[in-house]
Amino acid sequence: MRLTEVLFKKVKSKRIMVLMESVVSGHQFNTFRERLADKIELIRFDPYIQKESLYRERKRIRSA
């Protein structure tokens, strides 16, 4: 192993996978967002209640 390989930092990805959860029914799906961006809130169709619902970011899953 060379000295230059030891000195390199581990590269972090610019995007992360997050878990989105419906406020109304608890339906969940995964999506991606930028690492430095604020938490996501969006309105999307909820198949459990057959209407549009507010989804909020619940937790980070992994780097992508």
Side-chain angles (χ1 to χ4, degrees):
M1 186 160 42
R2 297 180 183 158
L3 183 59
T4 56
E5 292 176 7
V6 174
L7 297 176
F8 285 132
K9 287 186 176 179
K10 188 173 180 181
V11 177
K12 288 190 176 181
S13 117
K14 292 183 179 181
R15 301 175 73 201
I16 58 172
M17 183 184 283
V18 294
L19 179 69
M20 302 293 291
E21 184 175 31
S22 171
V23 174
V24 179
S25 69
H27 176 254
Q28 299 175 346
F29 70 93
N30 299 332
T31 189
F32 292 95
R33 73 165 168 89
E34 298 294 319
R35 179 178 295 279
L36 300 176
D38 294 332
K39 290 193 171 189
I40 302 175
E41 284 190 359
L42 54 92
I43 295 176
R44 186 169 161 171
F45 183 78
D46 189 337
Y48 291 171
I49 59 172
Q50 298 295 312
K51 293 182 182 178
E52 289 187 341
S53 172
L54 177 67
Y55 282 83
R56 289 195 176 135
E57 180 180 328
R58 198 174 114 211
K59 68 177 186 177
R60 293 170 58 166
I61 298 174
R62 66 181 183 95
S63 294

